[in-house]
């Protein structure tokens, strides 16, 4: 009896862990299949290695589908950006029907995973966007830093952009001042009496 209870407890823990792992994922029916999409690691932080976590199964039987790394492709888009990054899918060892693709987010905010290709005879082209009830946006690490706060790569990039903007503005203003000074000097030269002009007597 004790052995049976141990096995039941182990199974409960395993299934509870798997359920918890997909809580922060979006579950969507696509034709006769169910797709579960989210981050490999939740919450997802800027500058921390992460990736796409994809599970595909038959909806009716919940049978996990294998071999889809050969027929499906994935892309990631940051926010409203038009730029995309291809994410090569790989089957997860020891986890039938589960696939992953690594990515390192460098900007906070919402991300979209696009999954496309074929599953059996069904054509797939679905977009999964982070948001409430789906999976989380990418967060900065400032809220969890302890004891000292460190500037993130995103913050440093923003500061460098500000410095560049200020530098460019300074160069432009300096150029305008130089042109104005030369123009003023030339006007004074033209307005001066002939005898007072440089090079005359």
């Amino acid at each position: 009896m004790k052995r049976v209870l141990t096995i039941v407890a182990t199974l409960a823990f395993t299934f509870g862990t798997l359920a918890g792992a997909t809580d922060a994922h979006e579950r969507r029916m696509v034709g006769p299949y169910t797709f579960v999409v989210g981050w490999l690691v939740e919450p997802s932080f800027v500058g921390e290695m992460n990736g796409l976590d994809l599970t595909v199964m038959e909806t009716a039987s919940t049978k996990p589908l294998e071999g889809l790394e050969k027929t499906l492709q994935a892309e990631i888009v940051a926010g409203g950006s038009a730029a995309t990054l291809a994410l090569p899918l790989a089957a997860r060892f020891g986890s039938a029907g589960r696939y992953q693709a690594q990515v390192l987010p460098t900007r906070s905010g919402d991300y979209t995973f696009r999954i496309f290709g074929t599953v059996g005879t069904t054509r797939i082209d679905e977009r999964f966007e982070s948001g409430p009830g789906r999976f989380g946006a990418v967060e900065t690490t400032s809220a969890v830093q302890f004891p000292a706060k460190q500037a993130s790569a995103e913050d440093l990039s923003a500061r460098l952009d500000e410095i560049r903007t200020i530098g460019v503005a300074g160069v432009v203003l300096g150029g305008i001042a130089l042109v104005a000074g030369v123009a003023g000097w030339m006007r004074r030269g033209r307005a001066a009496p002939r005898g007072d002009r440089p090079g005359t007597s």
Side-chain angles (χ1 to χ4, degrees):
M1 185 66 180
K2 185 177 180 181
R3 187 174 180 182
V4 171
L5 289 174
T6 302
I7 293 171
V8 170
T10 302
L11 289 173
F13 174 79
T14 301
F15 284 112
T17 302
L18 289 174
T22 58
D23 279 348
H25 285 47
E26 179 179 354
R27 181 181 293 266
R28 181 186 302 176
M29 290 179 60
V30 182
Y33 308 110
T34 296
F35 281 63
V36 184
V37 173
W39 293 106
L40 277 172
V41 179
E42 284 276 3
S44 179
F45 291 107
V46 171
E48 298 290 334
M49 185 61 73
N50 210 320
L52 164 66
D53 183 24
L54 167 66
T55 301
V56 186
M57 66 188 81
E58 291 181 349
T59 301
S61 65
T62 68
K63 175 187 175 183
L65 299 178
E66 301 184 76
L68 299 184
E69 73 276 12
K70 301 171 185 174
T71 64
L72 286 178
Q73 300 179 62
E75 293 178 343
I76 187 171
V77 183
S81 170
T84 62
L85 176 68
L87 300 176
L89 285 174
R92 297 187 66 174
F93 179 76
S95 298
R98 298 189 69 183
Y99 305 86
Q100 66 181 32
Q102 289 188 319
V103 65
L104 195 158
T106 57
R107 193 170 74 192
S108 60
D110 286 315
Y111 281 72
T112 299
F113 292 114
R114 179 190 174 208
I115 313 295
F116 59 101
T118 58
V119 178
T121 58
T122 303
R123 292 199 61 81
I124 305 295
D125 193 346
E126 300 288 321
R127 293 178 180 271
F128 298 83
E129 183 179 355
S130 60
R134 298 189 291 270
F135 54 95
V138 173
E139 304 173 24
T140 62
T141 58
S142 58
V144 295
Q145 289 180 7
F146 178 84
K149 300 289 186 182
Q150 296 180 342
S152 67
E154 185 179 23
D155 292 336
L156 291 174
S157 177
R159 290 175 190 174
L160 284 174
D161 287 341
E162 289 176 3
I163 291 170
R164 289 192 195 102
T165 301
I166 293 170
V168 169
V171 170
V172 170
L173 290 174
I176 292 172
L178 178 61
V179 169
V182 171
W185 179 81
M186 292 179 68
R187 282 196 300 272
R188 285 195 299 272
R190 291 195 192 98
R194 182 177 178 80
D196 295 338
R197 292 181 185 178
T200 65
S201 58

